[in-house]
mmCIF file with all atom_site columns, all heavy atoms in Angstrom:
data_model
loop_
_atom_site.group_PDB
_atom_site.id
_atom_site.type_symbol
_atom_site.label_atom_id
_atom_site.label_alt_id
_atom_site.label_comp_id
_atom_site.label_asym_id
_atom_site.label_entity_id
_atom_site.label_seq_id
_atom_site.pdbx_PDB_ins_code
_atom_site.Cartn_x
_atom_site.Cartn_y
_atom_site.Cartn_z
_atom_site.occupancy
_atom_site.B_iso_or_equiv
_atom_site.pdbx_formal_charge
_atom_site.auth_seq_id
_atom_site.auth_comp_id
_atom_site.auth_asym_id
_atom_site.auth_atom_id
_atom_site.pdbx_PDB_model_num
ATOM 1   N N   . THR A 1 126 ? 100.093 91.805  111.364 1.00 0.00 ? 150 THR A N   1
ATOM 2   C CA  . THR A 1 126 ? 101.027 92.976  111.360 1.00 0.00 ? 150 THR A CA  1
ATOM 3   C C   . THR A 1 126 ? 101.375 93.457  109.899 1.00 0.00 ? 150 THR A C   1
ATOM 4   O O   . THR A 1 126 ? 102.138 94.431  109.813 1.00 0.00 ? 150 THR A O   1
ATOM 5   C CB  . THR A 1 126 ? 102.341 92.667  112.068 1.00 0.00 ? 150 THR A CB  1
ATOM 6   O OG1 . THR A 1 126 ? 102.791 91.332  111.638 1.00 0.00 ? 150 THR A OG1 1
ATOM 7   C CG2 . THR A 1 126 ? 102.040 92.529  113.622 1.00 0.00 ? 150 THR A CG2 1
ATOM 8   N N   . GLY A 1 127 ? 100.842 92.857  108.831 1.00 0.00 ? 151 GLY A N   1
ATOM 9   C CA  . GLY A 1 127 ? 100.946 93.344  107.560 1.00 0.00 ? 151 GLY A CA  1
ATOM 10  C C   . GLY A 1 127 ? 102.332 93.280  106.960 1.00 0.00 ? 151 GLY A C   1
ATOM 11  O O   . GLY A 1 127 ? 103.136 92.363  107.344 1.00 0.00 ? 151 GLY A O   1
ATOM 12  N N   . GLY A 1 128 ? 102.661 94.098  106.009 1.00 0.00 ? 152 GLY A N   1
ATOM 13  C CA  . GLY A 1 128 ? 103.964 94.040  105.287 1.00 0.00 ? 152 GLY A CA  1
ATOM 14  C C   . GLY A 1 128 ? 104.563 95.390  105.238 1.00 0.00 ? 152 GLY A C   1
ATOM 15  O O   . GLY A 1 128 ? 103.883 96.434  105.587 1.00 0.00 ? 152 GLY A O   1
ATOM 16  N N   . TYR A 1 129 ? 105.737 95.465  104.594 1.00 0.00 ? 153 TYR A N   1
ATOM 17  C CA  . TYR A 1 129 ? 106.382 96.775  104.370 1.00 0.00 ? 153 TYR A CA  1
ATOM 18  C C   . TYR A 1 129 ? 107.090 96.694  103.085 1.00 0.00 ? 153 TYR A C   1
ATOM 19  O O   . TYR A 1 129 ? 107.275 95.633  102.496 1.00 0.00 ? 153 TYR A O   1
ATOM 20  C CB  . TYR A 1 129 ? 107.310 97.091  105.554 1.00 0.00 ? 153 TYR A CB  1
ATOM 21  C CG  . TYR A 1 129 ? 108.523 96.148  105.741 1.00 0.00 ? 153 TYR A CG  1
ATOM 22  C CD1 . TYR A 1 129 ? 109.789 96.451  105.230 1.00 0.00 ? 153 TYR A CD1 1
ATOM 23  C CD2 . TYR A 1 129 ? 108.355 94.975  106.445 1.00 0.00 ? 153 TYR A CD2 1
ATOM 24  C CE1 . TYR A 1 129 ? 110.849 95.567  105.393 1.00 0.00 ? 153 TYR A CE1 1
ATOM 25  C CE2 . TYR A 1 129 ? 109.416 94.042  106.551 1.00 0.00 ? 153 TYR A CE2 1
ATOM 26  C CZ  . TYR A 1 129 ? 110.692 94.375  106.046 1.00 0.00 ? 153 TYR A CZ  1
ATOM 27  O OH  . TYR A 1 129 ? 111.702 93.519  106.228 1.00 0.00 ? 153 TYR A OH  1
ATOM 28  N N   . GLU A 1 130 ? 107.474 97.857  102.593 1.00 0.00 ? 154 GLU A N   1
ATOM 29  C CA  . GLU A 1 130 ? 107.998 97.927  101.240 1.00 0.00 ? 154 GLU A CA  1
ATOM 30  C C   . GLU A 1 130 ? 109.490 97.512  101.146 1.00 0.00 ? 154 GLU A C   1
ATOM 31  O O   . GLU A 1 130 ? 110.253 97.745  102.112 1.00 0.00 ? 154 GLU A O   1
ATOM 32  C CB  . GLU A 1 130 ? 107.901 99.381  100.715 1.00 0.00 ? 154 GLU A CB  1
ATOM 33  C CG  . GLU A 1 130 ? 106.538 99.715  100.276 1.00 0.00 ? 154 GLU A CG  1
ATOM 34  C CD  . GLU A 1 130 ? 106.476 101.066 99.561  1.00 0.00 ? 154 GLU A CD  1
ATOM 35  O OE1 . GLU A 1 130 ? 106.356 102.070 100.272 1.00 0.00 ? 154 GLU A OE1 1
ATOM 36  O OE2 . GLU A 1 130 ? 106.528 101.039 98.330  1.00 0.00 ? 154 GLU A OE2 1
ATOM 37  N N   . LYS A 1 131 ? 109.855 96.871  100.062 1.00 0.00 ? 155 LYS A N   1
ATOM 38  C CA  . LYS A 1 131 ? 111.249 96.611  99.734  1.00 0.00 ? 155 LYS A CA  1
ATOM 39  C C   . LYS A 1 131 ? 111.689 97.584  98.728  1.00 0.00 ? 155 LYS A C   1
ATOM 40  O O   . LYS A 1 131 ? 111.064 97.744  97.670  1.00 0.00 ? 155 LYS A O   1
ATOM 41  C CB  . LYS A 1 131 ? 111.243 95.090  99.140  1.00 0.00 ? 155 LYS A CB  1
ATOM 42  C CG  . LYS A 1 131 ? 112.695 94.772  98.734  1.00 0.00 ? 155 LYS A CG  1
ATOM 43  C CD  . LYS A 1 131 ? 112.584 93.313  98.099  1.00 0.00 ? 155 LYS A CD  1
ATOM 44  C CE  . LYS A 1 131 ? 113.964 92.885  97.550  1.00 0.00 ? 155 LYS A CE  1
ATOM 45  N NZ  . LYS A 1 131 ? 113.901 91.565  96.920  1.00 0.00 ? 155 LYS A NZ  1
ATOM 46  N N   . VAL A 1 132 ? 112.690 98.317  99.066  1.00 0.00 ? 156 VAL A N   1
ATOM 47  C CA  . VAL A 1 132 ? 113.256 99.301  98.185  1.00 0.00 ? 156 VAL A CA  1
ATOM 48  C C   . VAL A 1 132 ? 114.743 98.965  97.965  1.00 0.00 ? 156 VAL A C   1
ATOM 49  O O   . VAL A 1 132 ? 115.503 98.870  98.949  1.00 0.00 ? 156 VAL A O   1
ATOM 50  C CB  . VAL A 1 132 ? 113.098 100.714 98.714  1.00 0.00 ? 156 VAL A CB  1
ATOM 51  C CG1 . VAL A 1 132 ? 113.663 101.747 97.804  1.00 0.00 ? 156 VAL A CG1 1
ATOM 52  C CG2 . VAL A 1 132 ? 111.612 101.025 98.969  1.00 0.00 ? 156 VAL A CG2 1
ATOM 53  N N   . LEU A 1 133 ? 115.159 98.899  96.763  1.00 0.00 ? 157 LEU A N   1
ATOM 54  C CA  . LEU A 1 133 ? 116.581 98.566  96.412  1.00 0.00 ? 157 LEU A CA  1
ATOM 55  C C   . LEU A 1 133 ? 117.299 99.908  96.085  1.00 0.00 ? 157 LEU A C   1
ATOM 56  O O   . LEU A 1 133 ? 116.769 100.785 95.400  1.00 0.00 ? 157 LEU A O   1
ATOM 57  C CB  . LEU A 1 133 ? 116.631 97.596  95.272  1.00 0.00 ? 157 LEU A CB  1
ATOM 58  C CG  . LEU A 1 133 ? 115.963 96.305  95.434  1.00 0.00 ? 157 LEU A CG  1
ATOM 59  C CD1 . LEU A 1 133 ? 116.071 95.459  94.193  1.00 0.00 ? 157 LEU A CD1 1
ATOM 60  C CD2 . LEU A 1 133 ? 116.527 95.559  96.618  1.00 0.00 ? 157 LEU A CD2 1
ATOM 61  N N   . PRO A 1 134 ? 118.523 100.080 96.546  1.00 0.00 ? 158 PRO A N   1
ATOM 62  C CA  . PRO A 1 134 ? 119.168 101.379 96.330  1.00 0.00 ? 158 PRO A CA  1
ATOM 63  C C   . PRO A 1 134 ? 119.651 101.439 94.897  1.00 0.00 ? 158 PRO A C   1
ATOM 64  O O   . PRO A 1 134 ? 119.873 100.497 94.187  1.00 0.00 ? 158 PRO A O   1
ATOM 65  C CB  . PRO A 1 134 ? 120.419 101.260 97.330  1.00 0.00 ? 158 PRO A CB  1
ATOM 66  C CG  . PRO A 1 134 ? 120.632 99.826  97.458  1.00 0.00 ? 158 PRO A CG  1
ATOM 67  C CD  . PRO A 1 134 ? 119.294 99.157  97.373  1.00 0.00 ? 158 PRO A CD  1
ATOM 68  N N   . PHE A 1 135 ? 119.839 102.757 94.472  1.00 0.00 ? 159 PHE A N   1
ATOM 69  C CA  . PHE A 1 135 ? 120.467 103.072 93.121  1.00 0.00 ? 159 PHE A CA  1
ATOM 70  C C   . PHE A 1 135 ? 120.991 104.524 93.248  1.00 0.00 ? 159 PHE A C   1
ATOM 71  O O   . PHE A 1 135 ? 120.551 105.232 94.204  1.00 0.00 ? 159 PHE A O   1
ATOM 72  C CB  . PHE A 1 135 ? 119.326 102.965 92.016  1.00 0.00 ? 159 PHE A CB  1
ATOM 73  C CG  . PHE A 1 135 ? 118.078 103.793 92.322  1.00 0.00 ? 159 PHE A CG  1
ATOM 74  C CD1 . PHE A 1 135 ? 118.016 105.050 91.873  1.00 0.00 ? 159 PHE A CD1 1
ATOM 75  C CD2 . PHE A 1 135 ? 117.090 103.271 93.019  1.00 0.00 ? 159 PHE A CD2 1
ATOM 76  C CE1 . PHE A 1 135 ? 116.893 105.877 92.166  1.00 0.00 ? 159 PHE A CE1 1
ATOM 77  C CE2 . PHE A 1 135 ? 115.875 104.030 93.324  1.00 0.00 ? 159 PHE A CE2 1
ATOM 78  C CZ  . PHE A 1 135 ? 115.812 105.293 92.866  1.00 0.00 ? 159 PHE A CZ  1
ATOM 79  N N   . PRO A 1 136 ? 121.847 104.951 92.399  1.00 0.00 ? 160 PRO A N   1
ATOM 80  C CA  . PRO A 1 136 ? 122.378 106.249 92.493  1.00 0.00 ? 160 PRO A CA  1
ATOM 81  C C   . PRO A 1 136 ? 121.304 107.335 92.484  1.00 0.00 ? 160 PRO A C   1
ATOM 82  O O   . PRO A 1 136 ? 120.449 107.366 91.616  1.00 0.00 ? 160 PRO A O   1
ATOM 83  C CB  . PRO A 1 136 ? 123.251 106.367 91.243  1.00 0.00 ? 160 PRO A CB  1
ATOM 84  C CG  . PRO A 1 136 ? 123.645 104.946 90.913  1.00 0.00 ? 160 PRO A CG  1
ATOM 85  C CD  . PRO A 1 136 ? 122.448 104.110 91.246  1.00 0.00 ? 160 PRO A CD  1
ATOM 86  N N   . GLY A 1 137 ? 121.311 108.161 93.545  1.00 0.00 ? 161 GLY A N   1
ATOM 87  C CA  . GLY A 1 137 ? 120.391 109.301 93.659  1.00 0.00 ? 161 GLY A CA  1
ATOM 88  C C   . GLY A 1 137 ? 119.093 108.999 94.454  1.00 0.00 ? 161 GLY A C   1
ATOM 89  O O   . GLY A 1 137 ? 118.293 109.853 94.553  1.00 0.00 ? 161 GLY A O   1
ATOM 90  N N   . TRP A 1 138 ? 118.980 107.761 94.963  1.00 0.00 ? 162 TRP A N   1
ATOM 91  C CA  . TRP A 1 138 ? 117.743 107.386 95.631  1.00 0.00 ? 162 TRP A CA  1
ATOM 92  C C   . TRP A 1 138 ? 117.486 108.177 96.911  1.00 0.00 ? 162 TRP A C   1
ATOM 93  O O   . TRP A 1 138 ? 116.347 108.131 97.499  1.00 0.00 ? 162 TRP A O   1
ATOM 94  C CB  . TRP A 1 138 ? 117.664 105.874 95.832  1.00 0.00 ? 162 TRP A CB  1
ATOM 95  C CG  . TRP A 1 138 ? 118.566 105.385 96.996  1.00 0.00 ? 162 TRP A CG  1
ATOM 96  C CD1 . TRP A 1 138 ? 119.811 105.523 97.126  1.00 0.00 ? 162 TRP A CD1 1
ATOM 97  C CD2 . TRP A 1 138 ? 118.050 104.634 98.104  1.00 0.00 ? 162 TRP A CD2 1
ATOM 98  N NE1 . TRP A 1 138 ? 120.342 104.829 98.283  1.00 0.00 ? 162 TRP A NE1 1
ATOM 99  C CE2 . TRP A 1 138 ? 119.220 104.302 98.904  1.00 0.00 ? 162 TRP A CE2 1
ATOM 100 C CE3 . TRP A 1 138 ? 116.850 104.177 98.562  1.00 0.00 ? 162 TRP A CE3 1
ATOM 101 C CZ2 . TRP A 1 138 ? 119.139 103.536 100.056 1.00 0.00 ? 162 TRP A CZ2 1
ATOM 102 C CZ3 . TRP A 1 138 ? 116.723 103.369 99.684  1.00 0.00 ? 162 TRP A CZ3 1
ATOM 103 C CH2 . TRP A 1 138 ? 117.879 103.142 100.511 1.00 0.00 ? 162 TRP A CH2 1
ATOM 104 N N   . THR A 1 139 ? 118.502 108.796 97.480  1.00 0.00 ? 163 THR A N   1
ATOM 105 C CA  . THR A 1 139 ? 118.330 109.548 98.766  1.00 0.00 ? 163 THR A CA  1
ATOM 106 C C   . THR A 1 139 ? 118.014 111.029 98.515  1.00 0.00 ? 163 THR A C   1
ATOM 107 O O   . THR A 1 139 ? 117.841 111.804 99.457  1.00 0.00 ? 163 THR A O   1
ATOM 108 C CB  . THR A 1 139 ? 119.659 109.484 99.579  1.00 0.00 ? 163 THR A CB  1
ATOM 109 O OG1 . THR A 1 139 ? 120.724 110.074 98.794  1.00 0.00 ? 163 THR A OG1 1
ATOM 110 C CG2 . THR A 1 139 ? 119.988 108.100 99.951  1.00 0.00 ? 163 THR A CG2 1
#
Side-chain angles (χ1 to χ4, degrees):
T150 47
Y153 63 99
E154 284 189 273
K155 176 182 177 181
V156 180
L157 302 177
F159 54 90
W162 76 301
T163 58

